[in-house]
Amino acid sequence: EADIYQTPRYLVIGTGKKITLECSQTMGHDKMYWYQQDPGMELHLIHYSYGVNSTEKGDLSSESTVSRIRTEHFPLTLESARPSHTSQYLCASSEYGYGYTFGSGTRLTVV
Amino acid sequence: GDSVTQMEGPVTLSEEAFLTINCTYTATGYPSLFWYVQYPGEGLQLLLKATKADDKGSNKGFEATYRKETTSFHLEKGSVQVSDSAVYFCALSLGGTSYGKLTFGQGTILTVHP
């Protein structure tokens, strides 16, 4: 059973639209992450957070933004979607001594 | 910076064949090492891990040994099944059990035929 939930699973949206991808975890983990997975499968860290009100950009530059107002919630927002944003987005969390848990992902298509 | 390199794929095998997927890493510190598996349309699942040199991670018949001298963490399975068809990712993290951000290899597609 997944303890980290991503919605929606699939999203097709027009260019220029604003979208928010939701990620919630029920484990109380302090650390949360967003990875972008391109069609070639590679996973790139785009944002991470080590606690409430703490967010950092990852290794891959992204036009998206994130917020961490509550421990369990780490949404990702694109203000103006473009076809180049078409990808799968994976959310994950981790905790000291526990390891990582991944969500099932959101597959975004921008037309 | 830190990086993970996996053998180029895809890998295609017959059922019951032996599997090796090579993984080497570069890290500034002393990383923990992981293998993750991704089935079609799903997220990543932890397959196995090792946190220090000479540790052997194992799960579901898969094994990998943390080799500090060769900076490697190769994945092996003695007899693959059709159900093992998936994408396999090698990954590292620094910071021990505090589990900071993961750095992934490029992934290897495994297809197993009956």
Side-chain angles (χ1 to χ4, degrees):
Chain A
E1 294 181 22
D3 293 317
I4 186 164
Y5 304 95
Q6 290 187 243
T7 57
R9 284 295 307 274
Y10 302 94
L11 178 62
V12 180
I13 200 163
T15 298
K17 298 293 186 183
K18 177 180 179 179
I19 58 170
T20 297
L21 308 185
E22 300 289 347
C23 176
S24 295
Q25 49 102 357
T26 59
M27 299 166 287
H29 288 177
D30 284 331
K31 298 184 174 76
M32 295 190 73
Y33 314 85
W34 276 103
Y35 288 87
Q36 183 174 338
Q37 185 171 28
D38 60 30
M41 301 184 306
E42 289 199 43
L43 287 150
H44 302 283
L45 180 68
I46 52 174
H47 298 284
Y48 63 99
S49 167
Y50 284 176
V52 171
N53 294 325
S54 163
T55 61
E56 301 287 343
K57 290 189 179 297
D59 304 322
L60 179 69
S61 176
S62 173
E63 294 168 344
S64 59
T65 58
V66 293
S67 62
R68 190 87 183 277
I69 299 172
R70 305 196 313 267
T71 297
E72 64 271 21
H73 195 213
F74 191 42
L76 181 146
T77 298
L78 276 165
E79 290 293 333
S80 180
R82 297 207 305 258
S84 61
H85 296 138
T86 294
S87 192
Q88 172 153 258
Y89 294 85
L90 290 170
C91 181
S93 69
S94 68
E95 184 63 33
Y96 177 84
Y98 182 82
Y100 302 89
T101 302
F102 280 83
S104 298
T106 294
R107 190 171 295 278
L108 172 66
T109 302
V110 184
V111 297
Chain B
D2 306 323
S3 66
V4 177
T5 302
Q6 289 181 231
M7 66 183 289
E8 293 185 11
V11 175
T12 302
L13 296 172
S14 297
E15 205 166 26
E16 299 183 2
F18 184 85
L19 169 71
T20 299
I21 301 177
N22 290 338
C23 171
T24 57
Y25 67 89
T26 302
T28 53
Y30 201 179
S32 296
L33 301 173
F34 306 82
W35 277 100
Y36 282 88
V37 58
Q38 185 177 32
Y39 298 101
E42 298 185 13
L44 272 67
Q45 299 176 23
L46 177 66
L47 184 59
L48 52 84
K49 69 178 181 183
T51 58
K52 61 182 187 295
D54 300 325
D55 265 2
K56 177 185 282 188
S58 62
N59 186 25
K60 299 180 182 179
F62 291 90
E63 293 183 339
T65 302
Y66 189 143
R67 301 288 188 198
K68 186 182 177 187
E69 64 275 14
T70 54
T71 62
S72 65
F73 193 54
H74 304 321
L75 182 68
E76 297 182 337
K77 186 174 186 183
S79 176
V80 293
Q81 305 299 312
V82 172
S83 57
D84 294 327
S85 298
V87 182
Y88 291 82
F89 291 92
C90 186
L92 69 81
S93 74
L94 296 171
T97 51
S98 64
Y99 291 111
K101 53 185 178 174
L102 280 164
T103 299
F104 287 92
Q106 61 266 53
T108 300
I109 299 174
L110 171 66
T111 302
V112 180
H113 293 298

